Amino acid sequence: MSFDGIVTRAVVDELKSSLIGGRIDKVYQQEKDEILIQVYNKGSNYRLLISASSNNPRVYLTKHSKKNPETPPVFCMLLRKHLSGGIILNVKQYNMDRIIIIDASSIDELGLTTEKRLIIEIMGKHSNIILVDKNKIIDSIKRVREDMSRIRQILPGLIYEYPPLQDKKNPLNFTKNEFMQLLNNDKRSIKLYKFFYFNYIGLSPLVSKEICFRSNIDIDRPIQSLTTNECERLYITFESLILDVIMNKYNPLYINNDSNDLVAFYCLELYQFGSMNKNFLPSISDVLDSAFRRIDIQDRILQKSHSMRKIVQSRFDRAISKLAKQKEELLESTDRKKYKIYADLISANIHLIPKGVNHIELENFYDENLTKLDVPLDFKISSVQNAQKYYKKYSKLKNAENLLLEQIPETEDEIEYLENVLVSIDNSFEVEELDEIKNELIKEGYLKDNSKNKRRKNKEEKLSSPYHYISQNGFTIYVGKNNRQNERLTLKVANHDDIWLHVQKMPGSHVIIKKDNNDIPNTTLEEAAILAAYYSKARNCNNVSVDYTMKKNVKKQPNSKPGMVVYDNYKTINVNPDKEIIKKMKISK
């Protein structure tokens, strides 16, 4: 995504009009690399989000907030000490680069007015948030030691220096002669669009391609192939675009594709995307808030789900191996009778068994024909000891069978439960949903509770809402998002005569059709079955079997894990989990 120098300038322009003169009320650090500053100005409250994330560094005014950590981090406490109650004096951009400077005055411990400077560097993995006092670094959200960078260290007590300038021109100070000279003198065999961000600071590949598109010149053309007329067109387009930037004439937008996935965002119109779904918003912060909220949620979900899935998958694989071993041991235990026969035959023929042999043929008096049976022996021990060894093995396998007949169903239940958890992780689209799964795994003993504050451990946690669909016939359909939600939906929300659906013999969500004393048409039943198939392990399969029955036929067995139920008196419908059909259904969050 293109948070370049032009977008930075648009953000600074908005922050100037919104924040200058405002009072800093509160400072939060909701992520390890993210700050939220609440500012009160001219009767309005503003939330300034500043992120030094390596993947998505950014600055803008947001309407959203995240959960605060139980204990404020050290850098957050430092910012509160120096900035809380302060007045924002100025907001500016450094040299058209992705660096924003916020100056604020506040009262120190001695009651004296001091000025502090918050510097936000949006530089990919090198992004940082730095608090400075008269050019001396107080601290930063990321400390940069000499072993991390020989060129530039960011540590308390050092003099702050701006990142070294690249050998690029400031596009706001453009002249035609300079532009043409750069174009004519650039002998690198590069594609045309790269010329702009190679030579001008603050221009991204996205806006560089936009200049080429508006000039009606192929972005991949070599510079040397341009005609005089094409060079002139490029300059006119470049001049027009930069003049809009100089005059702060912005048209913020974000663009989605047909699948509603984010394609691009910018503070200027992007003609290169043609008739794709463009969403124009009043301010660049509105655009960034919408775009980065989606990106941030996706990234956080990816990070959380990856670590959680790894743990659950490991436990699942161990349970599968455990079940295979248990079944192997059970098979051996069912064949234990031969060891008693060996022991009895040895005991009855001790006087016939010579010392030092590893097997002997004895008449099997359990066989009516008295056939000879080859009995294995341990030549290192006596005949009596061999008999005792076989009696012990027989007794052990007999006890093992009883134990395994109890353990195998438990292991099978664990496998089913963990497989349901894996499906729930895949179906999670909000961080809160993953947190619910995490809490469930903690309660079930699969994860450790590392939270510092456990006072609310025994309180009932608020669950997110299940998916809420409306069928074409107007019936309410609920879909559970995880095991605990499935259990609550089925056992507490659903009425006895509501219809309950679940994919057959596979992990998946519980689905409820609210009957409300009406007959449920086949179209609604089919739509609910499609939802049950889609939110299951069978999402990518065809002709999926889905069982359905009245909720009164669904029971939870004592001591079973969350979401695990049994049901009877059911019927089965086969459907294809069609995403397009689901899209057409109205969903209420």
Side-chain angles (χ1 to χ4, degrees), residues 2-17:
S2 296
F3 200 118
D4 62 7
I6 293 179
V7 171
T8 304
R9 181 179 170 86
V11 170
V12 168
D13 182 58
E14 182 180 355
L15 297 186
K16 281 182 177 180
S17 62

Side-chain angles (χ1 to χ4, degrees), residues 190-208:
I190 59 172
K191 297 176 181 179
L192 175 59
Y193 77 93
K194 294 183 179 180
F195 162 80
F196 294 97
Y197 67 87
F198 276 11
N199 287 286
Y200 288 99
I201 193 168
L203 302 190
S204 60
L206 178 66
V207 74
S208 301

Side-chain angles (χ1 to χ4, degrees), residues 1 33 36 40 60 96 173 213 217 256 268 288 361 405 412 443-444 446 451 454 503 509 521 542 588:
M1 296 298 169
D33 50 15
L36 184 74
Y40 180 80
Y60 54 84
M96 200 54 187
N173 302 326
F213 183 84
I217 302 175
N256 294 336
L268 301 172
L288 296 174
E361 286 190 346
L405 289 173
E412 289 173 336
K443 286 185 176 181
E444 295 300 316
Y446 291 100
S451 60
K454 301 178 183 179
V503 67
S509 295
N542 292 319
S588 174

